[in-house]
């Protein structure tokens, strides 16, 4: 019988994430994939600015802390100078799809051989719950107190759809961290992303729909329910681009 | 001794190239040299100039304020630079393109129909080098050996035809 | 060779493995040169989507232990400020080239020295400095680029080459010296731990104020060492000079011509040319202030170096200023006129 244990590449420390937050799950999935592929010693990770800013305390691989939004550029610098290393970024929606849009789009269009783990929870978590580029229409946040009105605040960005139009994107999949089935699928997707990188096939992004019970003002259970009933309809799960399947 | 040379004309006339040829000649003669171009929109077909210093001492300012020698290849350049030439200095003027006449009597001015000569001799674009040929003849600041070596150095060896044309242009200017 | 090209070639010879750039006049020759040169020597050339991305790519490459460089001109350097601050906060070595043009704002594209403050005092947010070198010739563009890589590695801090459009665009003869390149073995670099050591973290975030304070204090102890070891200046005819003309980079060339002109007229003028701007070569100025009577600072700016000269001389002598700005280059005649005026009015 297999005993469920902490992945080796996930450091044995307690995390600072709020109760019910899905960051911990996704951290674990990334580390399980790193362990299973046996690449811990050859991986360099890039942290963003946001709730996962201190991920370097959790991931046991060499880690670099980037400025807000710049993780794909930092990852490019690492990958270009050390092409034989696995390089991934771990970024939230404000980091990746607002301040770092240019870095994200251009890393993708260059076909930069890196893997991005993208946490979409429709809100800025660390700064206390402001509107993110992915905040849904009508969603109440600190900076959309009457609900996001697309007429003044614009529409949410669908990142996987956007990036899948770029030739340089090799793999783009949206997954969710709400149910055991979805979490298993998320892990498979993350593994796929790293394999695409291993095979030098180009840019891969795994978007993980996540929760933020604290800033959504919900219990963890309610938050999971919201993810299912409100987020997935707007952000459909699935593979948006897979050059390994195109023959 | 220090020679300050100002070259000016339209973008595309080979002003910067002619300046480089002069600077290389200075280098081959073991002199201190500098070459300073104008840059910016001028590169896109407007007026263009560069200054070259050849000196036996380390060059302080590479900016030429009152040149010993000017080469001017269009009307605006003539108007801009003719009065800056030091008394006793030299002006080489492409009078195919410059209609204005030099009225200064304290400088040595040479009008050479360089663009016309280049066209007549099947050397399109060689007017700049024809004027250099004339400059060598009149000022003697550069030797014929050095100019030939400089051209061979700057023009890629695989463009043998271009080297020949440049050497021919020098001779036409020298003999004019 | 153009100054920009000489600098690029010297960087390659100094072991620069990665260059990330973005086009802007008057430094674009550096990018163009690297685009051709890097693939031939197994290096990396990449045109980034912005100056911000370029400096962050440098950050990544430096964090993974290789010699990396980016270049830009004044408005682009403003954008790089963010990355420079992170690089300094992580104690990473790299080289940033600023081929200055006129500002503020979009300014102009002609040569200027209006980023002295930016380079020496305000390169980004936070308590930090970077090494700043001011070449004055095409040869020095090459020599100081090479030196900047070595010093940046030695002190683990970013280094800036503060040049300008005149030096970048002008051609002079240049010779390249042999350069011994360092081994690729920085133990702090993020290159994968191979399961042989604890994981390395390159980071400038300290959530506890005391830890951030301690890290800043530690960095400033290093700066004290740098200040002792690295202060370069050229002194020309200073020993008996009544008037010390001073300026850096291209301005120093014009100042030097004016000093020669003044000497020919019997005015005892000399020149101090700072080669490092941070650390500022205070020693040369302090010594000159013992004997000289007046200082004249010449810049392509509104006078950004004047304060440092006053500090270096403890305000013992008056510091006059003459500059042109916005891309206008002061002429030798203008500077000489200033020297004459000072000689007449301020020397008995």
């Amino acid at each position: 019988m297999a005993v469920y244990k902490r992945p080796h590449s996930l450091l044995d420390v307690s995390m600072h994430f709020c109760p019910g937050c899905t960051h911990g799950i996704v951290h674990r999935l990334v580390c399980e994939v790193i362990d299973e592929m046996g690449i811990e010693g050859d991986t360099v990770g890039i942290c963003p600015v946001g709730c996962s800013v201190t991920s370097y305390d959790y991931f046991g691989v060499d880690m670099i802390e980037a400025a807000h939004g710049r993780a794909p550029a930092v990852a490019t610098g690492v990958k270009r100078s050390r092409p034989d290393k696995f390089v991934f970024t771990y970024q939230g929606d404000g980091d990746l799809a607002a301040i770092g849009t240019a870095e994200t789009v251009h890393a993708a269009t260059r076909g930069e051989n890196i893997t991005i783990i993208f946490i979409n929870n429709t809100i800025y978590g660390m700064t206390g719950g402001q509107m993110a580029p992915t905040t849904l229409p009508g969603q109440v946040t600190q900076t959309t107190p009457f609900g996001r009105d697309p007429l003044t605040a614009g529409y949410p960005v669908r990142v996987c759809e956007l990036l899948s139009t770029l030739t340089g994107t090799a793999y783009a999949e949206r997954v969710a961290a709400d149910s055991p089935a979805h979490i298993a699928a998320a892990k498979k997707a993350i593994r796929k992303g790293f394999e695409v990188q291993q095979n030098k096939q180009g840019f891969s992004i795994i978007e993980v729909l996540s929760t933020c019970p604290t800033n959504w003002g919900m219990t963890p259970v309610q938050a999971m329910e919201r993810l299912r009933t409100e987020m997935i309809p707007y952000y459909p799960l699935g593979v948006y681009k897979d050059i390994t399947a195109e023959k | 001794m220090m020679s300050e040379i100002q070259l000016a004309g339209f973008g595309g006339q080979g002003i910067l190239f002619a300046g480089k040829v002069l600077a290389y000649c200075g280098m081959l003669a073991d002199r201190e040299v500098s070459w300073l171009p104008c840059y910016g929109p001028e590169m896109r077909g407007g007026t263009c100039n560069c200054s070259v210093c050849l000196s036996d001492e380390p060059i302080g300012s590479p900016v030429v304020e009152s040149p010993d020698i000017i080469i001017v290849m269009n009307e605006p350049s003539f108007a801009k630079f003719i009065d800056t030439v030091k008394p006793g200095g030299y002006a080489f003027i492409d009078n195919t393109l410059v209609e204005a006449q030099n009225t200064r009597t304290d400088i040595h001015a040479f009008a050479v129909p360089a663009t016309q000569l280049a066209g007549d001799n099947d050397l399109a674009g060689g007017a700049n080098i024809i004027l250099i040929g004339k400059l060598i003849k009149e000022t003697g600041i550069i030797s014929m050996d050095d100019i030939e070596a400089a051209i061979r150095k700057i023009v890629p060896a695989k463009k043998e035809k271009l080297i020949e044309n440049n050497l021919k242009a020098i001779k036409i200017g020298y003999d004019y | 060779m153009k100054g920009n090209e000489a600098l690029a070639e010297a960087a390659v010879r100094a072991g620069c493995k990665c260059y990330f750039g973005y086009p802007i006049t008057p430094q674009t020759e550096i990018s163009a040169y690297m685009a051709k040169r890097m693939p031939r020597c197994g290096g990396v050339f990449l045109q980034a989507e912005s100056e911000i991305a370029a400096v962050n790519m440098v950050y990544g490459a430096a964090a993974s232990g290789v010699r990396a460089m980016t270049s830009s001109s004044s408005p682009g350097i403003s954008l790089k400020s963010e990355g420079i601050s992170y690089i300094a906060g992580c104690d990473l070595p790299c080289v940033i080239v600023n081929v200055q043009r006129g500002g503020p704002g979009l300014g102009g594209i002609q040569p200027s020295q209006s980023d002295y403050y930016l380079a020496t005092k305000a390169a980004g947010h936070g308590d930090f400095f970077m090494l700043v070198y001011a070449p004055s010739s095409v040869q020095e563009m090459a020599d100081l680029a090479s030196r900047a890589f070595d010093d940046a590695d030695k002190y683990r801090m970013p280094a800036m080459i503060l040049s300008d459009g005149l030096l970048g665009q002008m051609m002079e003869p240049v010779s390249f010296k042999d350069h011994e390149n360092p081994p690729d073995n920085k133990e702090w670099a993020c290159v994968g731990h191979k399961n042989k050591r604890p994981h390395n973290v390159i980071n400038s975030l300290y959530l506890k104020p005391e830890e951030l304070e301690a890290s800043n204090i530690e960095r400033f102890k290093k700066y004290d060492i740098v200040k002792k070891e690295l202060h370069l200046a050229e002194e020309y005819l200073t020993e008996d000079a009544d008037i010390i003309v001073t300026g850096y980079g291209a301005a120093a060339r014009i100042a030097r011509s004016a000093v020669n002109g003044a000497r020919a007229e019997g005015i005892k003028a000399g020149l101090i040319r700072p080669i490092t701007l941070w650390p500022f070569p205070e020693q040369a100025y302090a010594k000159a202030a013992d004997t000289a009577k007046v200082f004249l600072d010449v810049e392509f700016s509104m006078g950004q170096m004047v304060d440092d000269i006053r500090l270096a001389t403890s305000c013992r002598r008056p510091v006059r200023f003459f500059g042109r700005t916005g891309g206008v280059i002061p002429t030798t005649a203008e500077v000489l006129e200033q020297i004459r005026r000072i000689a007449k009015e301020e020397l008995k």
Side-chain angles (χ1 to χ4, degrees), chain A residues 8 11 38 40-44 49 53-68 70 72-78 80-82 84-85 99 102-104 106-107 110 112, chain C residues 17-18 20 44-50 52-54 56-66 82 86 90 184 189-195 197-207:
Chain A
H8 182 266
L11 297 176
E40 184 184 337
D42 288 306
T43 299
V44 179
V49 169
V53 64
T54 55
S55 290
Y56 50 76
D57 285 337
Y58 311 141
F59 290 115
V61 300
D62 280 3
M63 294 295 293
I64 301 168
E65 170 58 47
H68 200 20
R70 317 296 175 223
V74 176
T76 298
V78 177
R80 293 288 178 125
S81 54
R82 308 283 179 187
D84 55 330
K85 304 299 172 192
I99 194 167
E103 285 78 4
T104 304
H106 284 273
R110 283 193 303 267
E112 210 61 62
Chain C
K17 282 274 170 289
C18 294
F20 304 100
V44 173
F45 164 82
L46 183 60
Q47 179 169 327
E49 62 271 25
S50 68
I52 299 172
N56 280 286
M57 290 172 187
V58 166
Y59 174 34
S64 71
V66 303
E82 176 195 75
Y86 279 72
C90 293
D184 178 8
C190 281
V191 291
H193 55 51
K194 291 280 175 198
N195 304 310
R197 57 164 169 77
H199 75 149
N200 280 343
V201 173
I202 302 281
N203 175 38
S204 56
L205 176 69
Y206 298 86
L207 290 170

Side-chain angles (χ1 to χ4, degrees), chain C residues 305-334:
Chain C
M305 196 169 74
V306 170
D307 297 346
D308 279 342
I309 300 166
R310 289 204 176 115
L311 287 171
T313 56
S314 306
C315 295
R316 285 186 286 153
R317 307 289 175 192
V319 180
R320 307 300 175 209
F321 172 71
F322 178 74
R324 298 297 301 268
T325 175
V328 181
I329 307 288
T331 65
T332 305
E334 285 172 335

